[in-house]
Amino acid sequence: KQEVTQIPAALSVPEGENLVLNCSFTDSAIYNLQWFRQDPGKGLTSLLLIQSSQREQTSGRLNASLDKSSGRSTLYIAASQPGDSATYLCAALENEKLTFGTGTRLTIIP
Amino acid sequence: DAGVIQSPRHEVTEMGQEVTLRCKPISGHNSLFWYRQTMMRGLELLIYFNNNVPIDDSGMPEDRFSAKMPNASFSTLKIQPSEPRDSAVYFCASSLWGNHGYTFGSGTRLTVV
């Protein structure tokens, strides 16, 4: 059974800093990995999707990497802003099922 | 495209009552998923459909839960009878079969008192 872990559970950084969020998964036979953002009381917004054949994806200040062999993915956020404060979830797709990590709650301090 | 549409946004009901949650997937998507989110357990997959057929319902917690997808544009998740421990946010998501990215609805916040 796929297990997805995100560490740390919470992170606070000053505005303007670059930061990295970590995601690990136990079964490397994934089809893709997706990063989501969730604001309090809201739904999930897809940020980036990395296919298993890809190593990374970029969108604006966000860059996600994938290393299937080690079972790891990272989400890099450059020049953080207060509006980046949210919970970030990674999810691994395998056998048509998306398994979520428990998320990292990010707070950007102005 | 309006995205995945869920209704109602909020539902408060008394224990023992029947609750029906609704979902309209993105047009053209042929896979639909129901998830439940709680503080204790995070996001859990309850059931998913492909081409309106239930494929895996192993995540449905009990027989009190049932889901249907009568056509490609509509699905329901029903809880009968509801219990306080069913209180959670229920999300619906859709995708194209073949492991494309998921799109989630805004969720239904269910409170059973």
Side-chain angles (χ1 to χ4, degrees):
Chain A
K1 179 184 175 184
Q2 179 75 269
E3 293 183 5
V4 181
T5 304
Q6 292 185 249
I7 296 174
L11 180 66
S12 294
V13 299
E15 179 179 1
E17 285 197 3
N18 304 325
L19 61 100
V20 175
L21 305 180
N22 297 297
C23 172
S24 61
F25 45 94
T26 54
D27 189 341
S28 61
I30 63 171
Y31 194 88
N32 65 39
L33 188 133
Q34 200 166 358
W35 283 91
F36 294 86
R37 167 184 173 141
Q38 186 174 30
D39 292 285
K42 304 294 185 181
L44 282 73
T45 301
S46 179
L47 298 174
L48 289 165
L49 183 151
I50 312 175
Q51 301 291 351
S52 61
S53 59
Q54 297 175 322
R55 297 285 293 183
E56 64 180 276
Q57 280 286 330
T58 298
S59 176
R61 295 183 294 108
L62 306 180
N63 176 277
S65 68
L66 175 64
D67 184 343
K68 281 184 59 177
S69 61
S70 66
R72 295 184 180 181
S73 176
T74 62
L75 180 66
Y76 174 84
I77 302 177
S80 58
Q81 303 171 357
D84 295 330
S85 297
T87 295
Y88 291 80
L89 296 147
C90 70
L93 185 68
E94 182 183 13
N95 296 328
E96 310 300 333
K97 295 183 184 181
L98 201 59
T99 302
F100 281 86
T102 50
T104 294
R105 188 173 68 254
L106 176 65
T107 302
I108 305 301
I109 305 165
Chain B
D1 195 328
V4 177
I5 300 172
Q6 291 186 246
S7 64
R9 290 297 307 275
H10 303 273
E11 178 80 34
V12 180
T13 190
E14 292 184 347
M15 182 174 62
Q17 296 298 306
E18 178 179 295
V19 176
T20 299
L21 311 181
R22 297 173 175 78
C23 175
K24 176 180 170 57
I26 289 175
S27 177
H29 281 189
N30 52 6
S31 295
L32 183 139
F33 308 82
W34 282 100
Y35 279 82
R36 178 172 67 176
Q37 186 177 37
T38 61
M39 288 293 293
M40 291 297 294
R41 302 174 67 90
L43 275 156
E44 302 174 285
L45 176 64
L46 301 177
I47 185 171
Y48 76 94
F49 296 82
N50 182 45
N51 292 326
N52 313 336
V53 176
I55 303 299
D56 187 340
D57 65 354
S58 60
M60 297 285 262
E62 300 174 33
D63 291 345
R64 299 183 296 107
F65 286 69
S66 63
K68 294 182 180 179
M69 192 165 187
N71 56 61
S73 60
F74 184 66
S75 177
T76 59
L77 178 67
K78 185 177 295 185
I79 307 173
Q80 166 63 23
S82 58
E83 297 183 2
R85 59 195 169 116
D86 301 332
S87 298
V89 180
Y90 291 81
F91 287 104
C92 175
S94 70
S95 74
L96 283 171
W97 183 257
N99 302 320
H100 292 251
Y102 284 35
T103 301
F104 279 76
S106 299
T108 295
R109 182 174 296 276
L110 173 65
T111 303
V112 183
V113 298

